[in-house]
Amino acid sequence: MKLRSRHLLGLEETTASEIKLILDTAESFREIIERPIKKVPTLRGVTVLNLFYEPSTRTRISFELAEKRLSADTINFSRALSSVTKGESLKDTVKNIEALKINMIVVRHASTGAPYFLTQCTGSNIINAGDGRHEHPTQALLDMFTIRRKYGRLEGLRVVLVGDVKHSRVIRSNIWGLKTMGASVAICGPSTLLPYEVEEFGVDVYTHLDEAMDGADVVNVMRIQLERQQAGLFPSMREYTRLFCVTKERLKLLNKNYTIMHPGPMNRGVEITSEVADSSSSVILEQVTNGQAVRMAVLYLLSGKQREE
Amino acid sequence: MKKPKYDLVIKCGRVIDPALGFGSEADVFVKDAKIVKITRMSKATKKEISALPEENIIDASGKLVTPGLIDMHVHLREPGREDKETIITGCRAAAGGGFTTVCCMPNTTPAIDNQETVKFVLSRAEDADARVYVVGAITKALEGKELAEIGDLVAGGAVAISDDGSYVQNPEIMRRALEYAKMFDIPIITHAEDEFLFAGGVMNESYEGTRLGMKGRPAVGEVIAVLRDVRLCDFVGGKLHVAHVSTAGAVEAIRQAKKEGVNVTAEACPHHFTLTDDEIGKEFDPNLKVNPPIRTKKDVDAVIRCLVDGSLDCIASDHAPHSEEEKDVEFDQAPSGMIGLETTLGLVKTQLIDKGFLSWADAIRKMTVNPARILRLPGGTLEKDSVADITIIDPDKKWTVKKDNFRSKSKNSAFIGWKLSGKVFCTILGGRVVYRS
C-alpha cells in the first residue's frame, strides 16, 4: 500500500485506505517519540524546507521536530525575515531555495491553492500545512489519529466541530477526513460564520450548540478570532461566549466517554472554559504530541515518492 | 489607365447584415473606403472586375461576410501599462479576432477622465488596425466622488462614460451622473458590483467558494447594484448600459426593467456564458479570476437565455490584458481579468451558435448594429455609403487556442488549449485588409 500522490495537498481527495495508511504508520512513530532517544535515520540526506508565509507556532515546531526526529535536514523560512518583504514572489522564492537542492516543502500560506501552485513550479514533494481557509490536512489527520487512539475506530462516532466554519481550514479538512472514515459529522457556529451552501458538505449543520452536542462523542472546538467580531460577523465576544462556549454544563449532553479537543491556540473563557479544557476528557495536549507522529508518518510516506522523472 | 470602378470586391460570400435584414449569398463592392453596393454579381460586373488586380478580389465562397464587428468593452491599458497592451497591439488583436471597432475603458493610468487623455488615445489610434472609440470616466480618477468633466470628454470624442472596474457606490453621484449625461445623450456604462458586498472577494460566493475557502463576491452584490442603477435611470431618465452581466438575478432585473420601458441596455461576455466556478478548484488558474467572477451553471444558463430573448443586447469581450508576471502568482493575489478579443468569435460560434441558442444573424447583431446603436457609432452595417469595415468569417473552421498565437501583448486567457469552431478569415478596416488568416 502506498499513497497515490507525491504531495499532501488536502483530505478532500484522500481515500480511506490512504488515511488508514497514514494513521497506521503514525502509530509506529508515536512509539518512537516515547523512547529515550527519539531519533531514527529514516530521512537522512533529505532536506525539508518549512515555508511559513503565515505566523504559526505549533504547526511549525511540530513539523520541524518531526523532520529532525527523522534525521532530515531542515531549513526554516518565515515571511517576515525574508526577501518577500522586498517584493519577491512565492514562485521565485521557492525556486531560489530549491536551487539549493531541497527535497520536500512544508508550506503554510494565506492563499487557497498556494500548495498546488508550488507543485506546478517546483520538483519537491509538497505538504500543505494550511492554505487560506481551504485545507490543513495534517491537523485533521492528527485529530483523527487522536480520536482513533481513544476509541479504536472512527466509524460510527459522532463528531461536532464548533466555531468559525467560514474561515476554518481545520474544519474543512476534518469534514473531508471524518466523512471518508465513516464518522458522523456535525458543524455548529453562528449563522454569519457558516459559509454559503454549507449544507452541501453533507454534514449536519447547527446554530444552537446544545442541539449540536446532544448525543455526540467528540467535540472539537475552534478558536474564534476577535477580528471576526470587528468585521461585523457577530455583535460581541460576550454574546459569542454565551451562545457557543463549550462549558461544563453542556458536557452533560454528550455521550458517555466523550472527548474534548481543540487545535489551539485557545481563547480560554471564550470558546471553551478552562474547566473543560483542563478536564480529564480533554485530549488537547495529546493532540500536540500526536501531531508529531502524524507528521513524521506523512514525511516518511511522501519521501518514498520522489519525483518520477 | 482608367481608374478601376472598385477598390475591393468580396465575392460569393454569404452576406449577413442584421441592420439591413440581409442574409444571402452576394458580392460586396468597396470604393474609397465605403460600401458601394451589395448585389448578386451580374455578367456586366463580372466583366468590370475582371480588370481588377487579383489582390483586390477576395473569394469568400463558403464564408460569412458581415459588418465589421464591434467590441464595446475592452481595456487597451494605454496610457500607463504599455507593458500589458498598447493601443496598437490591442487593435492588432482586435483585427485578428474580427473586430474593426473597439471601445476602450477609462481605467488607465492616468485615467481617461479629461479631454486631453481622450485626445491622446484617439491620436495613438490613428494608424491602428481598428477604430478606437473612447469611453470616458464618470468621476474624476474613477474615485466615485466628483463628476469628471463629462461635457469636455464628449467634446473630445468620448462616446460614453463609465467607471468600469469600480461601481459608483454613492447613489447620489450616480443619480447626478445619469442626469448630467442626458445633456450629451450618451449612455452611462455601469460596472455593477456593490463594493460593500464583495469587499476582498476573489471568486463567486457559492458552494465552490465555500469548499475552497475563498472569499466570495456574491451574486446578490451584482443584482442590488443593477437594481439601484435601473431605478435611478427610471427616476431621472438618461441611458444606462450594464456591462458584463454575470448573474441570473441581474439579467432578470434587466429583463424586467426593459419590460417597464426603462432606457437600459446590457452586454454579456464570453466567459460568463461559457465558464462556471467549479473550474477554479481544478488548477487554481489565475486566468479564471475576473470581475465580476465566473458564476454557476444556473447563471450561465440565464445569461444565455437572455441573449436569446434579447434582454442582453450585446456581446463584448471585456478584454483585460495582464502581464504573465502579475498573473503567475497565487490565485487570490492575481489581478482580475482575461483577454478576449481573439477568442470571442470562436466562443460565440462554439457555445451559442453550435449549441443552437443563436443564429448567426442574432449573434452578429449583438456584435455590430446593437452596440453601434447604443453608442451611436457609424458602422455596424454594410448599407450603401457606410464605411467599409467588413469581417469575413470562416464559420466552421476548427482551431485550437494557443498561447503563442495571440496577437495581444498579454496571454492571460482561460481558454488556452480549447478547441473552437469558427474563426475570422479576413478583417477589413475602411476598405483596407488589416488581417487575413
Side-chain angles (χ1 to χ4, degrees):
Chain A
M1 175 66 205
K2 277 184 174 173
L3 299 180
R4 290 172 305 158
S5 171
R6 35 191 295 272
H7 311 293
L8 179 65
L9 303 183
L11 293 190
E12 185 178 359
E13 306 289 331
T14 309
T15 63
S17 53
E18 288 176 307
I19 291 173
K20 185 170 179 301
L21 173 67
I22 296 169
L23 301 187
D24 291 348
T25 310
E27 287 292 349
S28 33
F29 287 113
R30 183 69 179 78
E31 181 264 318
I32 288 168
I33 52 182
E34 294 297 340
R35 292 181 192 169
I37 294 173
K38 307 175 196 315
K39 191 153 177 156
V40 288
T42 318
L43 292 194
R44 199 150 62 191
V46 173
T47 309
V48 186
L49 165 65
N50 297 312
L51 183 68
F52 278 70
Y53 272 79
E54 277 189 334
S56 162
T57 309
R58 73 197 64 216
T59 304
R60 193 181 58 72
I61 289 175
S62 177
F63 264 110
E64 194 179 342
L65 255 180
E67 291 150 13
K68 291 196 158 134
R69 289 180 169 167
L70 291 168
S71 304
D73 296 310
T74 66
I75 343 167
N76 291 318
F77 170 102
S78 69
R79 191 180 185 281
L81 304 173
S82 74
S83 294
V84 173
T85 50
K86 300 176 190 166
E88 192 172 46
S89 71
L90 173 61
K91 187 176 179 176
D92 277 335
T93 302
V94 168
K95 281 195 160 298
N96 273 281
I97 300 174
E98 212 182 28
L100 301 169
K101 305 295 173 197
I102 57 159
N103 306 101
M104 309 179 86
I105 300 173
V106 175
V107 58
R108 165 161 299 184
H109 198 287
S111 299
T112 292
Y116 176 84
F117 180 76
L118 292 185
T119 67
Q120 300 302 296
C121 58
T122 82
S124 299
N125 303 81
I126 306 296
I127 299 172
N128 182 4
D131 63 328
R133 305 153 181 180
H134 179 219
E135 285 238 34
H136 189 355
T138 58
Q139 178 67 47
L141 286 165
L142 79 88
D143 289 344
M144 289 192 283
F145 181 80
T146 305
I147 297 169
R148 200 182 75 160
R149 282 203 121 206
K150 174 158 172 181
Y151 297 95
R153 65 189 166 98
L154 288 160
E155 203 178 346
L157 292 175
R158 175 74 163 176
V159 181
V160 190
L161 305 158
V162 185
D164 182 356
V165 180
K166 193 183 182 90
H167 299 96
S168 174
R169 54 193 171 211
V170 176
I171 287 183
R172 281 175 182 72
S173 286
N174 260 289
I175 288 173
W176 300 126
L178 287 166
K179 275 172 51 103
T180 300
M181 299 311 284
S184 154
V185 184
I187 56 176
C188 180
S191 43
T192 45
L193 292 176
L194 297 174
Y196 195 70
E197 295 181 334
V198 67
E199 60 285 352
E200 300 268 319
F201 277 128
V203 297
D204 299 319
V205 182
Y206 295 92
T207 51
H208 294 278
L209 187 54
D210 289 347
E211 290 171 21
M213 284 175 65
D214 192 15
D217 300 292
V218 177
V219 183
N220 198 345
V221 191
M222 304 293 144
R223 176 183 172 80
I224 185 74
Q225 289 180 339
L226 183 60
E227 65 186 81
R228 307 299 175 215
Q229 185 270 321
Q230 289 157 344
L233 290 164
F234 56 90
S236 66
M237 281 299 194
R238 181 175 168 273
E239 182 149 310
Y240 184 88
T241 298
R242 190 171 68 75
L243 296 172
F244 295 100
C245 184
V246 177
T247 57
K248 194 181 165 197
E249 294 69 52
R250 288 188 157 126
L251 299 181
K252 293 180 194 126
L253 298 159
L254 298 170
N255 287 346
K256 268 184 225 153
N257 196 25
Y258 61 82
T259 303
I260 304 298
M261 304 176 81
H262 193 303
M266 280 186 282
N267 295 307
R268 287 172 179 266
V270 179
E271 70 261 359
I272 189 167
T273 62
S274 281
E275 207 175 12
V276 172
D278 300 332
S279 70
S280 60
S281 303
S282 161
V283 293
I284 294 169
L285 294 175
E286 181 71 14
Q287 285 173 270
V288 178
T289 313
N290 291 341
Q292 254 185 80
V294 165
R295 287 172 179 128
M296 286 168 87
V298 168
L299 286 158
Y300 164 72
L301 290 169
L302 291 179
S303 73
K305 293 186 72 83
Q306 293 293 328
R307 188 178 203 176
E308 288 138 27
E309 298 291 350
Chain B
M1 199 179 119
K2 203 178 127 195
K3 243 184 124 189
K5 200 170 171 187
Y6 308 110
D7 296 336
L8 185 70
V9 177
I10 301 158
K11 63 172 194 178
C12 302
R14 192 177 137 217
V15 177
I16 298 178
D17 184 348
L20 296 175
F22 197 97
S24 58
E25 194 173 302
D27 308 302
V28 179
F29 297 80
V30 174
K31 174 73 178 165
D32 295 332
K34 290 210 160 87
I35 306 283
V36 178
K37 61 179 174 181
I38 309 175
T39 173
R40 290 301 284 262
M41 203 175 293
S42 66
K43 274 201 176 128
T45 47
K46 250 180 203 159
K47 203 172 166 198
E48 265 171 17
I49 70 163
S50 64
L52 280 179
E54 205 174 304
E55 66 264 28
N56 292 17
I57 301 171
I58 298 173
D59 183 357
S61 312
K63 312 285 192 295
L64 309 179
V65 179
T66 74
L69 304 180
I70 298 170
D71 188 339
M72 69 177 294
H73 191 140
V74 304
H75 299 268
L76 297 180
R77 302 294 185 220
E78 189 177 352
R81 287 309 300 265
E82 294 82 355
D83 59 318
K84 299 183 179 190
E85 196 81 284
T86 64
I87 290 161
I88 294 295
T89 59
C91 289
R92 285 193 71 223
F99 292 92
T100 57
T101 296
V102 295
C103 301
C104 64
M105 288 294 163
N107 59 338
T108 47
T109 319
I112 310 176
D113 63 355
N114 61 84
Q115 193 182 86
E116 276 314 299
T117 314
V118 175
K119 287 180 172 168
F120 167 81
V121 171
L122 292 175
S123 72
R124 284 290 166 134
E126 273 166 15
D127 300 319
D129 288 345
R131 276 173 225 291
V132 175
Y133 290 95
V134 174
V135 178
I138 300 171
T139 64
K140 292 186 181 110
L142 281 71
E143 283 176 345
K145 290 178 186 153
E146 292 174 36
L147 293 184
E149 290 180 325
I150 296 166
D152 246 29
L153 290 167
V154 174
V159 295
I161 50 171
S162 178
D163 276 3
D164 185 57
S166 317
Y167 186 50
V168 178
Q169 190 67 45
N170 182 333
E172 165 67 7
I173 299 282
M174 187 62 173
R175 174 213 165 139
R176 298 305 174 198
L178 279 160
E179 271 176 340
Y180 196 81
K182 281 200 292 185
M183 289 195 289
F184 311 102
D185 198 21
I186 53 163
I188 293 196
I189 301 172
T190 180
H191 176 123
E193 279 191 290
D194 188 289
E195 291 180 4
F196 290 107
L197 284 168
F198 77 65
V202 297
M203 68 173 284
N204 187 35
E205 183 163 345
S206 62
Y207 173 63
E208 278 304 305
T210 290
R211 188 175 73 82
L212 300 172
M214 298 237 212
K215 192 150 195 307
R217 295 174 90 94
V220 69
E222 180 177 277
V223 180
I224 285 172
V226 168
L227 283 169
R228 186 204 75 176
D229 286 351
V230 160
R231 286 340 322 168
L232 283 173
C233 182
D234 185 38
F235 179 58
V236 302
K239 291 203 275 192
L240 180 71
H241 178 81
V242 185
H244 42 53
V245 183
S246 69
T247 61
V251 291
E252 182 52 35
I254 291 161
R255 209 174 63 83
Q256 193 59 37
K258 284 188 158 188
K259 218 196 262 174
E260 292 173 29
V262 181
N263 199 348
V264 58
T265 54
E267 75 199 21
C269 301
H271 44 276
H272 290 134
F273 64 66
T274 303
L275 298 169
T276 46
D277 59 7
D278 53 341
E279 293 289 324
I280 291 169
K282 290 178 186 166
E283 296 188 329
F284 302 100
D285 178 3
N287 291 326
L288 291 165
K289 189 177 169 195
V290 59
N291 296 338
I294 54 174
R295 306 279 187 186
T296 64
K297 174 87 170 41
K298 181 181 128 229
D299 298 298
V300 168
D301 290 346
V303 168
I304 292 174
R305 200 164 57 242
C306 285
L307 279 167
V308 172
D309 76 13
S311 309
L312 294 174
D313 306 82
C314 303
I315 294 168
S317 71
D318 194 6
H319 181 78
H322 288 296
S323 68
E324 190 142 9
E325 296 79 16
E326 281 182 321
K327 274 287 192 183
D328 194 15
V329 295
E330 306 87 306
F331 186 89
D332 59 359
Q333 305 291 309
S336 298
M338 60 179 95
I339 56 169
L341 276 166
E342 295 167 80
T343 46
T344 293
L345 184 60
L347 288 164
V348 165
K349 168 64 170 28
T350 309
Q351 298 296 122
L352 301 177
I353 296 173
D354 282 349
K355 292 184 179 173
F357 296 116
L358 294 184
S359 65
W360 268 109
D362 291 335
I364 297 301
R365 179 178 292 115
K366 292 179 195 299
M367 296 191 284
T368 55
V369 61
N370 284 3
R373 280 183 188 155
I374 290 165
L375 299 170
R376 295 191 303 153
L377 307 178
T381 174
L382 299 173
E383 198 177 357
K384 185 172 173 346
D385 290 333
S386 57
V387 62
D389 291 356
I390 302 162
T391 302
I392 307 175
I393 299 164
D394 195 343
D396 298 309
K397 170 92 174 168
K398 305 277 185 288
W399 62 291
T400 303
V401 182
K402 291 198 176 119
K403 191 174 168 183
D404 292 341
N405 291 351
F406 283 120
R407 293 154 67 93
S408 169
K409 211 164 180 180
S410 293
K411 319 289 174 200
N412 55 307
S413 169
F415 299 106
I416 291 166
W418 280 49
K419 291 185 171 46
L420 299 179
S421 165
K423 196 171 191 311
V424 60
F425 175 70
C426 182
T427 310
I428 296 157
L429 179 70
R432 176 171 67 97
V433 173
V434 288
Y435 173 81
R436 200 186 277 242
S437 67

